[in-house]
Amino acid sequence: MTEMSAPGQWSEFNRPIPEWFEKAPFGIFIHWGAYSVPAWAEPIGALGTISDDRWFAHNPYAEWYYNTIRIQGSPAEQHHREVHGGQDYDAFLDEWKAEQFDPDDWAQLFRSAGADYVIPTTKHHDGIALWDAPGTGTRNTVNRGPGRDLIEEIGGSVRKAGMRFGVYYSGGLDWHARPFPPHTTSASVHGDRPQDAEYAAYAYEHVRDLVDRYQPDILWNDINWPDGGKHFGDHGLGRLFRHFYSANPEGLVNDRWGEGTHHDYATSEYEHMGQNESEPHWENCRGIGFSFGYNQVEGPEQSLSGRELARHLIDVVSRGGHFLLNVGPKADGTIPDIQRRSLTELGQWMAKGKEYLVGARPVPQGVASPSDEPWIRWVERPEGLVAFVDGGEGAELRVRSDQFDLDAAKLSAEQDATLVRTEVGLKVRLSAGAIGPVIVTIPN
């Protein structure tokens, strides 16, 4: 077999998951781009709950604005015509100034929320790069708009705050470099995408440049990789992976490079691609609202509170996953108040709760069961079981194993709850003042 056609070579990248990621339950995603200027989408619901025939013309993802405004008759097309005069999308790049952007403030907010790693978008589907990417000319944030290398600034602040740094890159779509008609179905997303060798080389040079400049710990590709580059030859994905792992032996790549290639962990998105959560290593991503990019239309009713974020994180970890929570900054570089409030509230709970999530594993089947009413989730740690309890005046905890000592169970410190031993298990009573799920530890 030649370098160009050896299908079995992808297995050379198989290896254990790095310890740092095993102990990193929570990451922050950042979607920030020219789409943050119009900042508009219909908040119709979460991905995975909306039918395909309705999703695209009413897309709740504000970062898809460039696509949605090209769908004739869509509310976004009408909004763009009435509010922005139907101007060319690239005008938003020049209007994007990031004049209040403070990367250290971002990093401190994310760190205080309990994040372990941070992944900003470096180029989304609109093709605009947030660094001086090779081959982009002036169509990037260094030469236009903000006039700054945003990736360098975010990465520097993230690492200074003690977190790992990854990069998102849209290898599967680029509406500028390859201007296909607007996507109106999921089939068109995967069918009308750039697959030629020339675009594959363009994307290769971008990601290699990201690796060399910023030494990322995670490469988070989206949609797919151009078929013309799925090989081990010149500008091939195989060579890109070799270069990445050589530069960072503890690095990881996600699963959105296309079937038959390589990934270290799988991903799900909101309530979509849930089948990937059966893989040994996986990550769920979603926004605080229904969009990744900032959407000025979203309000508290579409957004998760800090308490709800804590529940979501606990649920993901209890099932063996990691949680990548998206933040969508405004065009001026500030974090929207709703998002900042939710992150701050989450941080208040994580200050006491995170230690019980780090290194946690799903509870073996038959030992203890989760519940939604009252809300209960379980994890296992080396020292025993941990139950997270929220909602309702009282919850009964039952463990079907003599391996664990119910008589020695206790609440973690300073929680607004009481714990009582019963004939069949444990009774947890919550007070109205609890800031989030209370934590009960049951030792081996």
Side-chain angles (χ1 to χ4, degrees):
M1 291 284 186
T2 69
E3 281 275 281
M4 294 294 290
S5 61
Q9 284 186 277
W10 300 106
S11 63
E12 76 176 64
F13 305 120
N14 296 343
R15 71 206 201 292
I17 292 293
E19 183 180 5
W20 77 262
F21 191 66
E22 293 275 20
K23 295 181 177 180
F26 181 46
I28 293 289
F29 221 179
I30 305 170
H31 278 61
W32 196 29
Y35 46 79
S36 304
V37 176
W40 193 93
E42 295 179 80
I44 60 173
L47 181 66
T49 67
I50 308 297
S51 63
D52 197 65
D53 60 353
R54 184 165 182 250
W55 176 267
F56 288 89
H58 303 273
N59 200 326
Y61 284 3
E63 69 277 12
W64 275 67
Y65 189 78
Y66 190 12
N67 186 78
T68 316
I69 61 175
R70 292 183 292 137
I71 299 176
Q72 292 299 312
S74 71
E77 188 249 355
Q78 180 179 350
H79 169 86
H80 185 63
R81 185 174 62 253
E82 294 176 353
V83 177
H84 301 287
Q87 69 180 18
D88 185 76
Y89 179 83
D90 275 25
F92 294 127
L93 172 56
D94 297 312
E95 294 172 19
W96 177 22
K97 299 301 183 183
E99 65 272 20
Q100 297 187 57
F101 172 45
D102 182 348
D104 286 345
D105 173 69
W106 285 18
Q108 290 303 319
L109 176 64
F110 302 156
R111 186 61 175 169
S112 66
D116 304 288
Y117 58 103
V118 176
I119 303 176
T121 51
T122 66
K123 180 194 76 115
H124 205 261
H125 311 328
D126 61 6
I128 295 172
L130 276 66
W131 87 107
D132 191 11
T136 58
T138 63
R139 199 171 183 269
N140 57 64
T141 62
V142 175
N143 291 282
R144 290 170 65 182
R148 301 162 72 167
D149 184 334
L150 301 176
I151 301 307
E152 180 179 36
E153 294 189 50
I154 295 170
S157 293
V158 162
R159 288 199 163 110
K160 185 168 62 176
M163 295 173 286
R164 297 275 182 160
F165 180 67
V167 292
Y168 165 107
Y169 182 83
S170 175
L173 296 175
D174 191 316
W175 299 322
H176 177 79
R178 294 294 183 270
F180 285 97
H183 305 292
T184 57
T185 65
S186 296
S188 73
V189 171
H190 295 284
D192 295 336
R193 61 179 177 85
Q195 303 186 42
D196 59 282
E198 182 182 8
Y199 174 74
Y202 177 77
Y204 172 97
E205 292 294 347
H206 281 184
V207 179
R208 181 167 178 128
D209 192 53
L210 289 169
V211 171
D212 292 342
R213 290 197 196 210
Y214 311 115
Q215 298 83 49
D217 296 299
I218 296 175
L219 294 183
W220 212 102
N221 187 59
D222 203 5
I223 303 294
N224 208 315
W225 193 254
D227 292 3
K230 293 176 182 174
H231 56 72
F232 282 74
D234 189 33
H235 293 107
L237 181 59
R239 288 195 181 180
L240 182 61
F241 284 167
R242 283 176 179 168
H243 182 69
F244 171 59
Y245 289 124
S246 175
N248 188 347
E250 289 197 330
L252 302 105
V253 304
N254 74 336
D255 61 339
R256 301 191 183 188
W257 308 85
E259 290 186 22
T261 59
H262 163 75
H263 65 272
D264 294 303
Y265 67 90
T267 59
S268 61
E269 187 169 326
Y270 284 89
E271 298 180 44
H272 183 51
M273 298 182 290
Q275 71 277 7
N276 292 342
E277 296 178 359
S278 63
E279 290 206 18
H281 304 283
W282 59 275
E283 172 191 77
N284 173 254
C285 66
R286 65 154 294 153
I288 292 174
F290 295 138
S291 177
F292 286 94
Y294 170 56
N295 182 7
Q296 61 180 307
V297 180
E298 288 187 337
E301 62 274 17
Q302 289 91 21
S303 305
L304 297 182
S305 66
R307 190 185 206 113
E308 290 169 325
L309 289 176
R311 280 193 179 196
H312 190 85
L313 170 59
I314 294 165
D315 177 70
V316 167
V317 172
S318 74
R319 295 183 290 113
H322 305 254
F323 179 31
L324 185 61
L325 172 67
N326 182 77
V327 172
K330 293 182 176 181
D332 65 4
T334 59
I335 307 297
D337 290 343
I338 292 173
Q339 298 182 35
R340 182 176 285 273
R341 182 166 59 250
S342 293
L343 290 169
T344 301
E345 291 171 354
L346 173 62
Q348 293 170 353
W349 183 86
M350 288 284 272
K352 295 181 174 63
K354 183 180 177 180
E355 66 177 286
Y356 298 95
L357 299 174
V358 175
R361 294 287 183 269
V363 172
Q365 189 171 7
V367 173
S369 298
S371 167
D372 288 335
E373 292 293 339
W375 193 90
I376 303 169
R377 294 295 186 271
W378 298 85
V379 299
E380 185 173 24
R381 294 176 48 80
E383 63 271 20
L385 291 180
V386 178
F388 301 90
V389 184
D390 197 19
E393 295 182 357
E396 195 81 47
L397 302 181
R398 299 187 182 186
V399 176
R400 294 174 291 279
S401 172
D402 57 7
Q403 175 186 345
F404 303 98
D405 187 357
L406 291 176
D407 291 325
K410 61 181 181 179
L411 290 161
S412 66
E414 300 177 31
Q415 295 190 97
D416 293 323
T418 58
L419 182 65
V420 178
R421 182 74 162 93
T422 69
E423 292 184 1
V424 295
L426 299 164
K427 187 77 170 180
V428 184
R429 293 190 176 91
L430 283 68
S431 76
I435 63 171
V438 299
I439 303 162
V440 180
T441 58
I442 305 174
N444 295 318

